[in-house]
Amino acid sequence: MEKLYPLSLAVNGREVSEMVSARLLLVDFLRDVLGLTGTHVGCDTTQCGACTVHCDGQAVKSCTMLALQAQGQAVTTIEGLGPRGDHPLQQAFREEHGLQCGYCTPGMIMAAAALLDTNPSPDEAAVRHALEGNLCRCTGYQPIIAAVISASRKTGQ
Ligand code: FES
Ligand code: FES
């Protein structure tokens, strides 16, 4: 039988303790153990950014981390960022048509939120740089960039 290890962390402000496999990825822990399926899996190979979450405030691709590497950290998923869909970035994505199929959207929003946390008024180049690890097959990116800049104008200084 596979050995399990204790994992304790905070997810969306809630303390969580589970026994997990050393091989379990953070994205699979969030989706399959906690049921937080807003974090998507697009590639499983660190290419697409659909799995982006925040660990201690940093945007990370959760398919790239083992769950145990998040030991003691504060993890935020899209469910924690905007539980009612009313986060300024979520509103801006709707207003600027920054999504079509929506598969990339949670990861895009989490990456954009990490940018706005450190740079509340980014220019277009800064937004493109922050989102360069996130792929979208639908929008052509311009509406996504417009949405992030629109959100920054509403929330920036
Ligand atoms: Fe993690 Fe694509 S699923 S980067
Ligand atoms: Fe479909 Fe981005 S909206 S992948």
Side-chain angles (χ1 to χ4, degrees):
M1 193 169 163
E2 186 175 14
K3 187 170 179 192
L4 299 179
Y5 299 85
L7 170 63
S8 295
L9 71 173
V11 180
N12 297 335
R14 183 168 70 91
E15 297 298 325
V16 175
S17 294
E18 297 281 349
M19 298 296 291
V20 301
S21 161
R23 298 182 298 163
L24 184 67
L25 295 174
L26 179 59
V27 68
D28 294 329
F29 176 73
L30 294 170
R31 289 177 54 86
D32 300 340
V33 178
L34 301 184
L36 295 170
T37 53
T39 301
H40 291 166
V41 180
C43 67
D44 230 353
T45 53
T46 323
Q47 316 266 337
C48 75
C51 64
T52 303
V53 300
H54 295 180
C55 288
D56 285 346
Q58 303 284 318
V60 300
K61 294 178 177 179
S62 59
C63 75
T64 304
M65 274 180 71
L66 296 169
L68 286 169
Q69 289 178 299
Q71 189 78 259
Q73 296 192 6
V75 175
T76 305
T77 70
I78 190 69
E79 290 91 344
L81 189 79
R84 289 174 297 281
D86 55 0
H87 186 278
L89 278 165
Q90 292 169 314
Q91 293 176 352
F93 269 64
R94 283 196 295 273
E95 290 164 7
E96 300 292 336
H97 307 288
L99 69 153
Q100 291 181 26
C101 80
Y103 203 85
C104 70
T105 310
M108 285 286 185
I109 287 178
M110 295 309 290
L115 168 67
L116 297 186
D117 282 346
T118 57
N119 180 1
S121 302
D123 60 16
E124 179 171 335
V127 175
R128 287 187 180 277
H129 180 68
L131 299 183
E132 66 187 4
N134 292 70
L135 302 182
C136 176
R137 297 177 62 154
C138 304
T139 63
Y141 297 99
Q142 199 57 43
I144 291 174
I145 308 298
V148 177
I149 289 175
S150 170
S152 76
R153 289 192 177 133
K154 289 178 185 165
T155 60
Q157 305 305 312

